[in-house]
Amino acid sequence: MEMSHLASKLQALGLRLPEDFIVHMVLLSLPPQFGQFKVSYNCQKEKWTLNELISHCVEEEERLKHDRIESAHLATTPKSKKRKTAKEIAVDHASIKKQKKHKEGKSSCFFCKDEGHMKKDCTKYHAWREKKGLPKLSDAN
């Protein structure tokens, strides 16, 4: 409709555009949802006038509206969600603290969890390996 209005304004100024050109421009300006409509127009032998194109576009738009599936997304939260106890909160807080220490570069032993040394230097780890009869770390490599 807008292009038809623009074409009539141009005609009033003395510039007459061929109707086939206007129909072509209208078809190019249609949104992607009209893809099937464009294909069916291009496959037929007869060409439409601007008024015929407008009426067919209105029909196609109504068909698209009718075919559109309306949907709604529902989001819920569980009603039985229990609150954390003070002990659970403390455990979470302690694990966050450990993660922060690890990120800050303060290393701790993976075996005894003490800070300041690594597992390979841990006296408790070496004693445990000796008790199990495992070879010393320097011998294992």
Side-chain angles (χ1 to χ4, degrees):
M1 292 293 284
E2 186 178 334
M3 286 203 184
S4 172
H5 182 66
L6 290 173
S8 64
K9 279 185 176 181
L10 288 173
Q11 189 174 3
L13 294 173
L15 180 63
R16 176 144 171 70
L17 296 174
E19 192 168 22
D20 290 345
F21 177 76
I22 298 169
V23 168
H24 180 71
M25 293 304 294
V26 169
L27 285 170
L28 288 176
S29 69
L30 290 174
Q33 294 89 347
F34 285 79
Q36 186 178 0
F37 177 75
K38 292 177 191 179
V39 169
S40 65
Y41 173 78
N42 289 329
C43 288
Q44 67 183 7
K45 290 182 181 179
E46 69 178 62
K47 300 300 175 190
W48 295 335
T49 65
L50 186 58
N51 288 334
E52 288 175 329
L53 177 64
I54 290 171
S55 66
H56 287 293
C57 281
V58 169
E59 288 175 15
E60 181 68 9
E61 189 174 17
E62 289 299 319
R63 187 190 69 76
L64 288 172
K65 281 182 185 177
H66 185 265
D67 290 349
R68 188 180 314 152
I69 298 171
E70 293 185 23
S71 62
H73 299 282
L74 178 64
T76 62
T77 56
K79 292 180 181 178
S80 64
K81 187 176 180 180
K82 69 173 193 171
R83 297 181 139 216
K84 287 187 177 183
T85 64
K87 186 177 180 181
E88 290 172 330
I89 292 171
V91 168
D92 287 347
H93 185 64
S95 68
I96 290 170
K97 236 180 183 178
K98 272 186 187 177
Q99 288 173 356
K100 282 184 181 177
K101 282 182 185 177
H102 183 69
K103 286 181 182 176
E104 291 171 359
K106 295 181 182 177
S107 59
S108 62
C109 176
F110 287 109
F111 187 77
C112 69
K113 308 293 185 221
D114 288 341
E115 288 185 20
H117 67 274
M118 301 298 281
K119 183 177 171 183
K120 65 181 180 179
D121 303 321
C122 182
T123 55
K124 292 179 185 176
Y125 177 66
H126 288 289
W128 176 82
R129 285 184 64 88
E130 194 174 303
K131 181 180 172 185
K132 291 285 185 180
L134 298 171
K136 291 185 178 182
L137 286 180
S138 59
D139 298 340
N141 293 335

